[in-house]
Amino acid sequence: MKLASALLLSLPLFQDTVLAETRDLKKGKCDLWTKKWKNGKSSKGKGSYNFNRIATFPVCSQLDADCNTDTETAAEIVTVSGDLNTLIYSDSPMGVIGFVDITDATSPTPLGTLDVGGEPTSVSVWNDSIAVVGVNTSEDYVNTSGLLVAVDIATQTILKSWDLGGQPDSVAVSPDGKYIVVAIENERDEDLGDGIPPQMPAGFVVSIATAESLDDWTPSVIDVTGLDGVNIPEDPEPEFVHINENNLAVVTLQENNAIILIDLESGTVESSFSAGSVDLDNIDTEEEGIIDQTSSLDAVPREPDGVVFMNPNYFATADEGDMDGGSRGFTIWNVCGEPVWGSDSFMDQYSASVGHYPDERSGNKGVEPENVSFGSFEGTDYLFVNAERAGLVFVYDVSKVKKPKFKQVLPTNVGPEGGLAIPERNLLVIASETDDRGDKMRSTLTIYEYGKGKRQYPTLKSKKPKGSEVPIAFAALSGLSPDPSKDGVLYSVEDSFYNKSRFFKIKTGKSGKASKLVKAINIKDTNGVFAAVSPYGEFSADDLAEMINDDMTVNIDSEGIAADGEGNFYIVHEGQGTVGDADRPIESLNFIFKVNESGDILDVITLPDAWNDKQLRFGLEGVAYNPDSNTLVAVLQRAWGDDANPAVMVYSLDNDDWVGYGYYPLDAATSPAGGWVGLSDITYVGENKFYVIERDNQGYTDARVKKIYEIDVSEWSGDGHVFSKSLVKDILDITDDIGALPFEKYEGLAYTADGVWIVNDNDGVDDNSGEIQLLNLGDI
Ligand SMILES: *[C@@H]1O[C@H](CO)[C@@H](O)[C@H](O)[C@H]1NC(C)=O
Ligand SMILES: *[C@@H]1O[C@H](CO)[C@@H](O)[C@H](O)[C@H]1NC(C)=O
Ligand SMILES: *[C@@H]1O[C@H](CO)[C@@H](O)[C@H](O)[C@H]1NC(C)=O
Ligand SMILES: *[C@@H]1O[C@H](CO)[C@@H](O)[C@H](O)[C@H]1NC(C)=O
Ligand SMILES: *[C@@H]1O[C@H](CO)[C@@H](O)[C@H](O)[C@H]1NC(C)=O
Ligand SMILES: *[C@@H]1O[C@H](CO)[C@@H](O)[C@H](O)[C@H]1NC(C)=O
């Protein structure tokens, strides 16, 4: 141990003086505090403590209790009142700040909104009771202006506002309340001259020395142009700011890949430095419909966005990227400007292993860590990193700042932006900003609680195969099957979101533990069985050729899977296109693929011609194996042609031919958002009986029909028979228990020795939060 650090550790009383001096230390001595620095006690024994989601507040409920509104709202930045009972968030599409009562954190309730006279960009709290809001009032990118608005939280009234002289981005209040700092970004126009800076006017930083009376607050400008380490010194574009207890402000200049430190007492820039770059290995850099984490990128600029101090000497940045950077992770820095730890490629890789990797962002910054927040919970320091494109918060134990320990991930809704730790109440709040009712995404505030107990998420995590650098990547699970010959095993498939289609083997988790995806098997036309299928109607030889790759893998739309327990798997492929619809020409028929454990296609079952002649694009969705008669029972999602209901079709594996069909009587669609109801999956439960999932195509507050029904195929009396159904379980509200709003697409259902399993399809994390709930409902 170095003499200086030994002294520091034994003389905690002198911390304050020493800390101030640490900043002036020469390079090489900046890490004095790294070994032992902690805000609290040891994290020993905290392994059984976890964060779990307890509630989700849809922002639209400020406008209508049932969210029956198409108006776009958003919660972006979130903060809390001094009594810790009211959340305040910024909502730029509405031009308001919103208030939410969290006195009972499991049941957040709307308290209304306040028009702030422009576009709120950030909100923070001063003196416990006053919200300070950055408001952009600019006409455009050139004539920029903005206000700092002070709002009394209790009465929701504007007390006073100050001209900021530019377009604000973030607002921070110092821990002692003496200073309020606003980053004036004067952001660039990304559409002007390819968005390449410099673009005047230049941004700056405003520091306000507060006083007992708001009348005595005076904003002063801190010029941050012409600094070292900044790519384009004349156009700094300050982005985010946070302040430590020594009144040292850290400001990220995202577009400039730089960070500056400002001493607020003297109002001067103390240092500025480049945020540098990172080399990344084992990531996916191409959008080709496959998650293939075998690429590398060298010297990717970090271009940090969110920033937070974790203690007086160390801060963390979310390295989102903006211009050509984005290093897919976060970095921990000391105040000398040295990066002391980085997450490298971990966030991309881990996201893929829990089904949250956004493949559509592979060419473009991956999971995009946007924000960081910090809090010391029950004596353990935690850093929370929001991965905007993955719909996840990564939680790290940073009790040892230079050796962060990954703890867990938490599911968010689409576009997690603001993060707020409320350690005094053991709460964490995440604002997910994306809101689009038509695309079934609603902006929410999600509340998580820290406490003793198992972690609820993830419900499914993949294994790292021998010889691979990364775990198996997966998402978009669209069907489920039990293994009739083995308890504790499930099979699943991925849908057409991915090419080179695969099916998966899953070992189910016992007593609430996550299940494990242990194997991914490519489906291959090794023997040319699929290639030999005859063209029919509009389905041409070219269409068929498009579905088979050079390496014999296939690009299909697997929507259901059934294992027969003897090493054969029946995978239903949903056809593409509708007969007679010029906008949706037939590109593929519906097929059932028989494959073996190696994924080799052994047989391809086509529908009878009469069915192909009236194909609708909502085709085969589920399949189950019936051992009582050695048959397959397959279901269509919706009614075809003039039919009133979707078909339930039976295929004999003894005769290699269709036995016949009946109809499944659907519930009516009752969602206020309209839409339709259809079948999603089917599973065998014994004695010719089957469970099916029936669901509407709505999620969140618009979901109405999510049900498991039973049918009995021995009831069949000939083609066209309409089966009777009986309700087994309404699953609309099963997400209540995990603090979530309903998911749209429950697409997998399996009846097993340990009860019923369901899984939802997360659409490959494209316009979807990515959340996957593989749940055991037990005996229902
Ligand atoms: C806010 O800023 C942008 C420029 O970044 C501008 O185009 C927009 O119209 C501004 N004003 C308001 C009131 O939203
Ligand atoms: C810039 O905006 C201000 C306030 O909105 C307005 O008074 C002024 O005329 C504008 N200037 C130009 C050059 O457009
Ligand atoms: C700040 O808080 C204190 C204590 O609650 C209160 O007495 C004072 O009036 C507040 N100041 C302002 C400007 O609101
Ligand atoms: C998948 O393969 C098909 C056919 O080869 C191709 O048209 C399509 O673009 C691919 N999908 C993606 C996402 O790359
Ligand atoms: C991160 O979240 C905090 C709290 O909501 C907010 O103050 C800050 O502005 C956010 N930063 C980014 C980059 O979104
Ligand atoms: C799967 O089928 C292929 C082709 O018929 C065969 O070569 C392979 O051995 C089979 N694999 C298993 C595990 O049965």
Side-chain angles (χ1 to χ4, degrees):
M1 190 183 281
K2 286 187 197 122
L3 181 64
S5 63
L7 266 174
L8 289 179
L9 293 173
S10 56
L11 297 171
L13 287 177
F14 294 106
Q15 270 185 15
D16 278 350
T17 356
V18 178
L19 283 175
E21 281 169 11
T22 313
R23 290 193 256 136
D24 299 327
L25 289 174
K26 290 200 197 80
K27 288 207 164 178
K29 298 222 174 138
C30 298
D31 285 344
L32 265 185
W33 286 86
T34 57
K35 254 191 154 168
K36 278 279 179 192
W37 183 276
K38 277 192 208 175
N39 289 334
K41 306 190 285 269
S42 148
S43 61
K44 269 195 195 120
K46 286 296 190 301
S48 57
Y49 277 66
N50 284 294
F51 290 89
N52 280 313
R53 180 176 49 201
I54 55 168
T56 298
F57 173 83
V59 178
C60 43
S61 66
Q62 293 276 18
L63 302 179
D64 177 87
D66 297 322
C67 275
N68 190 9
T69 169
D70 293 343
T71 306
E72 185 189 356
T73 63
E76 291 142 339
I77 304 305
V78 59
T79 186
V80 68
S81 59
D83 65 6
L84 309 179
N85 286 329
T86 306
L87 296 179
I88 305 113
Y89 62 86
S90 61
D91 177 341
S92 67
M94 293 285 292
V96 299
I97 56 169
F99 303 85
V100 181
D101 183 358
I102 55 159
T103 309
D104 174 1
T106 61
S107 172
T109 50
L111 290 175
T113 61
L114 172 71
D115 190 323
V116 289
E119 178 197 24
T121 58
S122 187
V123 56
S124 204
V125 167
W126 180 79
N127 201 34
D128 292 351
S129 60
I130 295 176
V132 282
V133 191
V135 180
N136 167 28
T137 55
S138 314
E139 286 184 357
D140 50 39
Y141 293 95
V142 182
N143 191 0
T144 56
S145 61
L147 300 171
L148 182 75
V149 175
V151 173
D152 181 63
I153 297 168
T155 58
Q156 296 182 16
T157 50
I158 293 178
L159 299 171
K160 198 172 161 66
S161 66
W162 297 263
D163 194 350
L164 291 170
Q167 178 220 13
D169 196 335
S170 82
V171 176
V173 175
S174 66
D176 62 9
K178 275 192 189 161
Y179 299 96
I180 294 171
V181 176
V182 188
I184 305 295
E185 184 177 10
N186 286 344
E187 73 179 350
R188 73 199 162 97
D189 181 350
E190 293 183 32
D191 298 323
L192 181 74
D194 290 331
I196 298 170
Q199 284 184 13
M200 293 300 121
F204 48 92
V205 171
V206 169
S207 171
I208 295 152
T210 63
E212 180 56 33
S213 162
L214 298 186
D215 293 333
D216 298 333
W217 290 18
T218 35
S220 56
V221 169
I222 300 173
D223 177 18
V224 293
T225 57
L227 298 174
D228 288 345
V230 180
N231 286 349
I232 298 155
E234 66 270 34
D235 186 15
E237 300 207 26
E239 193 95 21
F240 274 86
V241 54
H242 195 246
I243 308 168
N244 75 6
E245 52 235 58
N246 297 330
N247 286 326
L248 181 71
V250 59
V251 181
T252 55
L253 312 185
Q254 184 174 20
E255 286 81 356
N256 279 292
N257 195 35
I259 297 170
I260 61 179
L261 294 169
I262 298 174
D263 179 62
L264 296 176
E265 269 143 44
S266 63
T268 54
V269 175
E270 193 175 276
S271 64
S272 67
F273 45 92
S274 165
S277 64
V278 177
D279 294 337
L280 298 171
D281 285 327
N282 296 308
I283 54 163
D284 189 357
T285 56
E286 266 163 64
E287 286 148 34
E288 78 290 47
I290 299 164
I291 304 174
D292 179 17
Q293 295 180 312
T294 55
S295 302
S296 309
L297 287 174
D298 286 341
V300 188
R302 289 188 176 87
E303 294 178 358
D305 190 358
V307 60
V308 71
F309 270 108
M310 298 178 291
N311 61 50
N313 275 8
Y314 291 88
F315 60 88
T317 54
D319 304 331
E320 181 191 27
D322 189 307
M323 305 292 292
D324 27 58
S327 54
R328 307 185 183 213
F330 68 99
T331 305
I332 292 179
W333 304 81
N334 63 27
V335 283
C336 297
E338 294 166 339
V340 298
W341 192 85
S343 62
D344 298 326
S345 306
F346 178 79
M347 290 178 70
D348 263 26
Q349 293 168 359
Y350 189 88
S351 296
S353 77
V354 294
H356 275 260
Y357 181 75
D359 191 47
E360 301 274 274
R361 305 294 301 174
S362 289
N364 209 350
K365 305 185 277 191
V367 300
E368 261 181 58
E370 149 125 15
N371 203 354
V372 274
S373 34
F374 172 82
S376 193
F377 286 75
E378 304 271 351
T380 304
D381 292 353
Y382 288 112
L383 182 71
F384 307 94
V385 188
N386 294 4
E388 186 182 3
R389 302 286 178 173
L392 289 176
V393 179
F394 282 71
V395 184
Y396 277 81
D397 177 343
V398 289
S399 300
K400 293 179 181 159
V401 246
K402 275 181 78 178
K403 271 197 191 161
K405 236 171 74 191
F406 171 68
K407 181 172 176 64
Q408 65 180 125
V409 287
L410 300 169
T412 71
N413 281 307
V414 185
E417 171 145 359
L420 172 75
I422 314 176
E424 301 89 338
R425 291 190 60 191
N426 273 336
L427 298 176
L428 170 74
V429 182
I430 299 291
S432 299
E433 64 177 339
T434 309
D435 194 76
D436 186 326
R437 191 188 195 189
D439 279 345
K440 298 156 203 171
M441 294 178 279
R442 300 250 72 163
S443 173
T444 62
L445 291 167
T446 312
I447 304 178
Y448 312 82
E449 190 173 49
Y450 184 64
K452 222 177 168 120
K454 288 195 182 105
R455 66 189 61 151
Q456 292 163 352
Y457 206 76
T459 58
L460 178 62
K461 186 173 175 340
S462 70
K463 184 179 140 169
K464 185 154 111 180
K466 273 204 191 86
S468 168
E469 298 287 332
V470 291
I472 300 165
F474 69 95
L477 300 181
S478 49
L480 216 53
S481 170
D483 185 335
S485 65
K486 204 164 188 187
D487 292 345
V489 173
L490 295 172
Y491 295 95
S492 187
V493 280
E494 59 187 356
D495 70 16
S496 60
F497 193 81
Y498 300 104
N499 273 342
K500 301 202 176 192
S501 309
R502 301 171 299 170
F503 71 100
F504 305 107
K505 182 175 181 180
I506 293 167
K507 288 198 174 152
T508 58
K510 302 275 173 276
S511 51
K513 278 216 178 107
S515 296
K516 192 136 204 166
L517 192 151
V518 294
K519 210 168 175 186
I521 304 116
N522 275 108
I523 302 167
K524 296 178 296 293
D525 193 28
T526 318
N527 303 319
V529 182
F530 186 31
V533 165
S534 307
Y536 182 85
E538 293 170 45
F539 178 63
S540 67
D542 283 350
D543 290 333
L544 178 61
E546 278 273 297
M547 298 175 73
I548 307 172
N549 304 309
D550 291 344
D551 61 1
M552 296 296 149
T553 57
V554 296
N555 307 330
I556 62 175
D557 188 12
S558 306
E559 294 288 346
I561 180 168
D564 70 358
E566 285 166 22
N568 299 306
F569 299 87
Y570 297 91
I571 293 171
V572 291
H573 156 78
E574 183 174 28
Q576 249 195 324
T578 298
V579 169
D581 182 347
D583 294 337
R584 297 187 183 277
I586 300 287
E587 285 169 4
S588 164
L589 303 176
N590 290 265
F591 299 114
I592 304 179
F593 292 93
K594 178 184 181 182
V595 306
N596 68 11
E597 281 167 288
S598 324
D600 290 306
I601 297 173
L602 305 179
D603 195 9
V604 179
I605 301 167
T606 52
L607 296 186
D609 292 352
W611 285 93
N612 286 332
D613 290 343
K614 58 175 184 179
Q615 175 173 326
L616 182 80
R617 66 190 178 97
F618 302 94
L620 286 173
E621 269 295 313
V623 63
Y625 176 69
N626 183 350
D628 302 333
S629 51
N630 196 31
T631 54
L632 298 176
V633 181
V635 294
L636 298 181
Q637 185 165 44
R638 298 179 64 189
W640 284 15
D642 296 330
D643 294 348
N645 280 303
V648 178
M649 302 174 153
V650 180
Y651 186 86
S652 165
L653 294 168
D654 291 334
N655 303 337
D656 291 333
D657 203 3
W658 292 98
V659 176
Y661 68 90
Y663 290 115
Y664 176 88
L666 290 172
D667 279 14
T670 50
S671 171
W676 46 261
V677 172
L679 287 175
S680 265
D681 204 2
I682 181 165
T683 189
Y684 171 78
V685 301
E687 295 171 8
N688 291 309
K689 293 189 179 65
F690 294 81
Y691 286 172
V692 297
I693 301 186
E694 191 181 330
R695 66 163 180 92
D696 57 20
N697 65 333
Q698 303 296 327
Y700 293 77
T701 43
D702 284 328
R704 291 293 180 276
V705 181
K706 311 288 169 193
K707 289 175 180 170
I708 298 175
Y709 279 103
E710 182 180 291
I711 58 170
D712 183 344
V713 295
S714 62
E715 214 187 59
W716 188 67
S717 62
D719 282 346
H721 174 89
V722 181
F723 291 104
S724 51
K725 65 176 186 181
S726 55
L727 182 66
V728 178
K729 192 172 175 73
D730 189 336
I731 55 173
L732 181 65
D733 295 327
I734 56 171
T735 44
D736 274 3
D737 296 343
I738 47 170
L741 295 170
F743 301 113
E744 177 196 349
K745 296 186 173 177
Y746 290 106
E747 295 219 345
L749 178 69
Y751 182 85
T752 72
D754 39 62
V756 170
W757 289 83
I758 54 167
V759 71
N760 65 300
D761 174 3
N762 72 354
D763 287 341
V765 206
D766 186 24
D767 283 352
N768 189 303
S769 70
E771 183 162 350
I772 295 179
Q773 288 290 342
L774 173 62
L775 295 178
N776 183 353
L777 305 180
D779 290 321
I780 57 174

